[in-house]
Amino acid sequence: MNKYLGNKPALALFLLPALLLYSVILIYPVLQTVFRSFYDWDGLSTASFAGLTNYRELFSDPLLGTSLKNGALFALVLAVFQIGLGTILALVCANPRVRGRKLLKTAYFIPVVLSVTVVCQLWIAMYDPTNGLVNKLFDVLGIPYQQNWLVSPTQSIIAIAFVNAWQFMGYQFSLLYAGVKAVPEDYFEAATIDGCGKWRAHWHVTLPLMRETFKFCFTIAITSGIGAFVQMLIMTNGGPGTTNYTLTFMIYRYAFMESNYGYACAVSVLLVMISLVATVVINKVFDRGQHA
Amino acid sequence: MNSKTTSFRSIGSFLLQIPLWLYFIVSVYPLFWMISYSLKNNDEIFVTNPFGFPAHFRFENYVNAWTQFNIPRYFMNSFIVSIISTLCILLLALMFAFAVARMQWKFRTAVRTYMIVGMFMPLQVIMIPLAILVRDFHLTNTYGALIIPYIAIGLPFSTMVFYGFLVSIPREIEEAACIDGASIYRLFAQVILPLALPAIATIAIFQFLNNWNEFTLAYILISDENMKTLPLGLLFFQGSYSTDWGAMGAVMTIASVPMVLVYLLLSEQVERAMTVGSAVKG
């Protein structure tokens, strides 16, 4: 039996294609990025070792501050909108008296399967200052709040983050809904019988039991905020000026527009480090709550 | 008394549902708006009827969109790239998972861990060397420039899902196959593969959707107009055709219909496929 399941040629045939492709296309580039971040390299000629120069330059790069701030804002919008609002909707939706649950869930999820290009262009049209739906809506409601959403340097990053939040709300919602459903109903009922109001019962019973779900949802929201790129690229091309830059936008610009590959690699390493730290912190925060 | 409480309860449950239906509108109305302006002319969109249903359907927008632009070409490219990479991911990931989950050899835990690492790599960290690899292998502006990276990127997650599935199959299966004299290849193709069909379906949907909608790598690796996939090709309409909103709406609607149909037909499976990550990663 062991000989049968230890068949060497078969093992090689089953393992090697996947391992080879994975090593060449994923692992090798990761190592290469770290390695090249210590070099002055234009992607073509021989690179020259530069030690920590790239990192030193990076920390005095004015784009870094903008990018970090935008990444944080983006993550904040995702967390508040998707997880904050998503949790409330999931709790309400789990109430047995709600009708049309299937229709609601389907409607929330449809934007998730759309192409990000379609969604961004739809929202470019929605945000259009004269013909867009958003300004027209304010007009119809009689609120004199006409904005040039994507041009304002302070608002546009929020407006863009909202597009991402809107598109992937359904995804977070279905995770949160599954999380609510996984909490045994007796727990919640026991709390309401003990005289807790519904919302207080949810606050003290349901939400703490959804710790694992929240951990995962926050990790997705925060890391996709830090790594955000496509929406800015399509909707404002990082502008006005460089006001909508993020770390990924910096990588894109330095590598593919300015051929400053070594420097762009240093930005990549920083991006991974920040995502890693964020993930660890999120885990720590939710695990600490467990022992309290 | 009793009927009074019932009516209070029904009012209560009606009020309770309001936020759900409000968000329903937020989620769906932009799409309805897109479809309706794809059937209007500029006058209707901007002035006479911005919010509502089109007065009469201007299907010529669709005819224009389909015939004047490169839409059929983008569709074909997306289809070829997504189908080939999904099929390869399924085959390679299943073979790998089979070797790690069912076969007996020394370093299988180490190799499995090595593969898991890839699940936590953000795309940005491989982007630059990958672009150079693609250039050095002379793959720029070919299907291979997308298919090969898509396969590699899809592998870690898919192998983990298959691994979880295959590990739970009882050991007697191999014994029976061994006693019957079936080769290990037959065991894989005729016993394991059919058993894994539910997991295969989940991963197929997940990877197809991912590849169909992938933007960043395609943007960096493809510049030839004839090789563009749908998400990339649609970018083109932003600048040059933004004055003709009807045609733009039609283009966007055409591009969205296939995925929305897939979702509506298989909604349960798609939701499970998209959220299966939480079970694996969490």
Side-chain angles (χ1 to χ4, degrees), chain B residues 15-257:
Chain B
L15 288 176
L16 177 81
Q17 296 188 36
I18 286 180
L20 291 173
W21 292 103
L22 278 180
Y23 194 76
F24 177 88
I25 296 171
V26 173
S27 187
V28 169
Y29 185 76
L31 300 172
F32 167 80
W33 185 64
M34 175 179 88
I35 296 168
S36 42
Y37 83 63
S38 76
L39 293 162
K40 297 173 183 174
N41 62 10
N42 276 2
D43 191 40
E44 252 188 294
I45 299 167
F46 299 150
V47 188
T48 52
N49 178 20
F51 296 108
F53 213 67
H56 65 272
F57 293 174
R58 296 177 195 274
F59 287 112
E60 62 265 30
N61 288 340
Y62 282 82
V63 178
N64 288 345
W66 188 260
T67 53
Q68 286 179 11
F69 309 127
N70 240 345
I71 306 283
R73 180 82 206 190
Y74 302 149
F75 255 103
M76 194 186 76
N77 290 340
S78 274
F79 195 74
I80 292 173
V81 168
S82 311
I83 282 284
I84 297 180
S85 36
T86 305
L87 287 177
C88 292
I89 291 171
L90 290 177
L91 181 67
L92 296 191
L94 202 60
M95 292 196 316
F96 180 90
F98 174 73
V100 175
R102 309 299 294 190
M103 294 179 74
Q104 307 286 329
W105 46 292
K106 223 176 185 173
F107 301 109
R108 50 194 207 143
T109 320
V111 169
R112 187 166 72 93
T113 315
Y114 174 64
M115 188 58 100
I116 292 178
V117 172
M119 241 163 45
F120 302 96
M121 286 303 158
L123 195 62
Q124 291 91 336
V125 72
I126 64 164
M127 206 159 75
I128 297 167
L130 186 62
I132 290 170
L133 265 182
V134 165
R135 187 190 69 196
D136 290 350
F137 280 110
H138 303 291
L139 286 170
T140 315
N141 286 323
T142 64
Y143 288 131
L146 295 181
I147 291 174
I148 295 170
Y150 286 176
I151 299 171
I153 292 165
L155 282 176
F157 177 71
S158 309
T159 52
M160 285 317 106
V161 174
F162 285 143
Y163 174 83
F165 193 86
L166 293 184
V167 161
S168 63
I169 296 174
R171 292 280 151 195
E172 287 79 38
I173 294 227
E174 275 95 353
E175 280 162 32
C178 182
I179 290 161
D180 287 350
S183 74
I184 192 133
Y185 307 105
R186 277 194 63 185
L187 168 73
F188 176 75
Q190 295 187 343
V191 182
I192 298 292
L193 202 74
L195 277 175
L197 277 180
I200 292 176
T202 303
I203 292 298
I205 293 172
F206 179 78
Q207 298 295 358
F208 188 83
L209 272 171
N210 265 0
N211 297 334
W212 182 272
N213 285 336
E214 202 285 326
F215 181 89
T216 309
L217 282 184
Y219 184 75
I220 289 163
L221 300 174
I222 300 289
S223 55
D224 182 352
E225 177 61 27
N226 280 322
M227 298 307 292
K228 283 181 178 171
T229 53
L230 208 46
L232 207 53
L234 294 179
L235 268 187
F236 169 73
F237 293 93
Q238 201 171 337
S240 341
Y241 296 95
S242 57
T243 46
D244 185 0
W245 282 40
M248 241 191 83
V251 166
M252 280 151 55
T253 308
I254 293 174
S256 309
V257 163

Side-chain angles (χ1 to χ4, degrees), chain A residues 62-283:
Chain A
L63 278 180
L64 182 68
T66 317
S67 298
L68 291 176
K69 192 196 82 198
N70 283 335
L73 274 175
F74 206 101
L76 184 73
V77 171
L78 293 190
V80 169
F81 186 77
Q82 294 181 329
I83 303 178
L85 183 62
T87 305
I88 295 172
L89 292 177
L91 289 174
V92 175
C93 194
N95 188 304
R97 283 189 289 162
V98 166
R99 296 275 162 267
R101 193 173 290 125
K102 178 89 185 88
L103 179 64
L104 288 164
K105 282 176 69 183
T106 309
Y108 295 176
F109 205 84
I110 285 178
V112 178
V113 302
L114 298 181
S115 149
V116 66
T117 318
V118 167
V119 170
C120 286
Q121 296 201 332
L122 171 60
W123 280 87
I124 291 176
M126 303 262 294
Y127 283 139
D128 189 283
T130 46
N131 302 312
L133 195 62
V134 180
N135 276 351
K136 281 216 161 92
L137 192 68
F138 281 117
D139 195 33
V140 165
L141 295 174
I143 305 166
Y145 190 71
Q146 301 290 307
Q147 301 290 321
N148 202 343
W149 298 95
L150 293 175
V151 175
S152 145
T154 44
Q155 266 171 3
S156 54
I157 187 71
I158 309 276
I160 292 170
F162 179 79
V163 174
N164 187 305
W166 175 83
Q167 182 177 8
F168 295 102
M169 176 67 156
Y171 178 77
Q172 295 271 28
F173 175 81
S174 52
L175 290 175
L176 291 163
Y177 183 74
V180 173
K181 278 304 205 185
V183 174
E185 265 173 45
D186 329 357
Y187 286 40
F188 176 70
E189 272 163 26
T192 44
I193 288 165
D194 285 351
C196 254
K198 275 219 165 102
W199 289 103
R200 279 195 56 197
H202 277 314
W203 182 255
H204 290 292
V205 178
T206 316
L207 295 188
L209 287 171
M210 287 169 63
R211 186 175 290 116
E212 287 302 316
T213 306
F214 281 128
K215 207 192 271 181
F216 187 68
C217 290
F218 272 104
T219 309
I220 298 176
I222 306 296
T223 50
S224 41
I226 296 168
F229 170 58
V230 182
Q231 285 81 13
M232 289 78 169
L233 178 77
I234 300 178
M235 298 183 77
T236 63
N237 198 20
T242 53
T243 45
N244 278 344
Y245 265 56
T246 55
L247 288 172
T248 313
F249 218 111
M250 286 175 76
I251 300 172
Y252 168 71
R253 171 179 163 164
Y254 287 121
F256 302 110
M257 290 161 79
E258 297 183 0
S259 290
N260 197 348
Y261 283 82
Y263 188 69
C265 286
V267 184
S268 305
V269 172
L270 182 71
L271 171 70
V272 178
M273 290 301 177
I274 294 176
S275 302
L276 214 66
V277 169
T279 310
V280 170
V281 169
I282 291 165
N283 272 286

